[in-house]
Structures are given as C-alpha cells and as structure tokens.
Amino acid sequence: MTNLRLRYQTVEFGKTDIHLCTLRDNQEFNDPAGIAEKLGISSATWPIFGIIWPSSLVLAHYISDYDTGIKRILEIGCGMALTSLMLNKKHADITATDYHPEVGKFLLRNTVLNQDKPIAYQQTDWASHDDSLGLFDMIIGSDLLYEDEHVELLANFINEHAKPHCEMILVDPGRGNKNKLTNKMIEFGFTSVHLKPIHTEYLINPFKGHILKFVR
C-alpha cells in the first residue's frame, strides 16, 4: 500500500457524511506479489476498484432515500463500497463482496475512517459456488456489466443469493448489456423496470445510463 498515491474525500447524503480513502486516480498499480495477476486482474484493470465512479454515486444517492427496513442487503462488485458505507452508517444489515484482493483492506480502512462498525465482507468470484454468503432480501450493485460473458455469471450469482421474494437494484452506465441481463432475470422469475435517474447534480457530466430494478 505504501507505493500507492491515495486521495481522501467526503461524499454528502443530506446531513450524512461518508469519508473515503481511495486511489488517487485510475493510473495507480501495486501488485508486487502477483496476487491480482493470478486472479486474472491485469495491470490495466487493477485500479478500477479503487476510485468512485459515476454509477457508484448514482446507486448510493438512490439508495440513500430508500426504506431498507430490516432487509438483509448484499452489494456485489462493491469496489470502494460507497453505498455499503452509507448503509452501514444508517445501521442497515449490509454485506459487501468483490473479486479484487485489495477491496477488503480499503473497506476496513474506510469503515474505521467513518467510525462505524465493521461491514461483513467476502472476497468472491461470480463463478464460485462455495461461498458462505447465504440469501438476501435486497441485492445492489453498480457498473457490473463490462463484458457479454459477465451477464450469465452475474445473473446466476444473483439468483443463487436471492431469497424467493427479493428486490434488486443495479446501476448501469450504458455499456450495452442491460437488456441481456434483464432477459436472464425474467427467466428467474423477476419483473423489471429501467429508470433514468433524476436530480444528478452531484455528477460532473450528465448520466447516460439507467437504474435497473428487479423484483420477485
């Protein structure tokens, strides 16, 4: 971690502040033991986990106004886990997951930075069938559909961890795979709606993607 250049920032949700230590930018890289490389994470994709992307901000702001009640919530591909940190601040039952080997370290660091309790976390692969996550009432994520082959892996992973009655909210920036995911989730018994986010003044540029909501 000492070779990485870091950035500290605060994201505001009304009167709630979430403090974050992130990578300085998406040009940082530090994998001296080749741990990420062994997982198939190249030097070009290594930093993607470590900054706050527009889709992450859209998800967090959307969920900040959501009544999560006593739902057990899972964030998949959490990266800097902005939404998980925000939900944790509100004492929600949140579990975070990601494939990148550095995410857990940053999550713990940022939980301490916000003076909150540790967030349940598991490093997992969407293709894995041996995790201990269990089932959830609500599943959330942002900017997950990078490649065509991710669609079926993601849909299967979600279905394996969704309770019979489950709500899913994914933010997609418009990479072209949302309809393929929607069709797959319909096969699993979900209904769907695609929404354009409103009140995105917290973003520098207009958001061209959608909020995908699925309910079963």
Side-chain angles (χ1 to χ4, degrees):
M1 297 287 288
T2 55
N3 295 327
L4 293 176
R5 297 188 69 184
L6 304 175
R7 177 186 178 194
Y8 288 86
Q9 58 189 295
T10 298
V11 181
E12 299 179 4
F13 301 94
K15 295 182 179 180
T16 301
D17 293 336
I18 299 300
H19 309 295
L20 294 154
C21 171
T22 70
L23 298 182
R24 180 176 180 269
D25 52 40
N26 62 0
Q27 301 301 309
E28 300 298 314
F29 175 71
N30 184 35
D31 187 30
I35 296 172
E37 184 180 9
K38 291 175 184 176
L39 295 174
I41 300 171
S42 69
S43 58
T45 59
W46 190 94
I48 289 175
F49 83 96
I51 62 176
I52 302 298
W53 296 95
S55 293
S56 175
L57 286 166
V58 171
L59 177 66
H61 280 275
Y62 186 74
I63 296 295
S64 69
D65 294 326
Y66 225 77
D67 181 12
T68 57
I70 59 171
K71 292 179 180 178
R72 186 170 189 240
I73 308 167
L74 173 67
E75 183 175 10
I76 50 181
C78 67
M80 283 290 96
L82 174 60
T83 302
S84 287
L85 290 163
M86 183 271 298
L87 287 171
N88 193 46
K89 177 70 72 176
K90 296 185 175 186
H91 308 293
D93 183 356
I94 178 68
T95 298
T97 64
D98 202 285
Y99 186 51
H100 198 289
E102 296 295 323
V103 167
K105 300 174 187 177
F106 274 88
L107 182 61
L108 180 58
R109 182 175 189 158
N110 284 324
T111 304
V112 172
L113 190 62
N114 286 280
Q115 299 181 322
D116 291 321
K117 67 178 182 179
I119 294 173
Y121 175 78
Q122 191 168 136
Q123 182 183 345
T124 188
D125 181 353
W126 294 344
S128 174
H129 298 285
D130 60 357
D131 62 60
S132 58
L133 292 168
L135 301 179
F136 294 84
D137 303 290
M138 187 175 188
I139 298 174
I140 60 176
S142 62
D143 202 358
L144 303 177
L145 300 171
Y146 280 88
E147 307 289 346
D148 279 353
E149 59 264 29
H150 291 168
V151 173
E152 188 162 356
L153 286 174
L154 175 60
N156 289 335
F157 183 83
I158 290 170
N159 189 54
E160 289 173 3
H161 295 92
K163 289 184 178 180
H165 298 286
C166 180
E167 183 174 12
M168 179 172 64
I169 297 174
L170 301 182
V171 175
D172 179 68
R175 297 189 185 276
N177 287 315
K178 65 181 175 61
N179 291 334
K180 295 176 184 177
L181 177 67
T182 297
N183 292 335
K184 193 66 180 176
M185 298 317 299
I186 289 173
E187 291 179 20
F188 289 137
F190 287 85
T191 59
S192 75
V193 61
H194 298 174
L195 307 172
K196 291 293 292 185
I198 57 176
H199 304 306
T200 56
E201 59 278 355
Y202 48 84
L203 297 177
I204 296 175
N205 298 310
F207 189 73
K208 298 179 180 180
H210 290 82
I211 298 170
L212 315 181
K213 292 186 66 176
F214 302 89
V215 178
R216 183 174 66 184

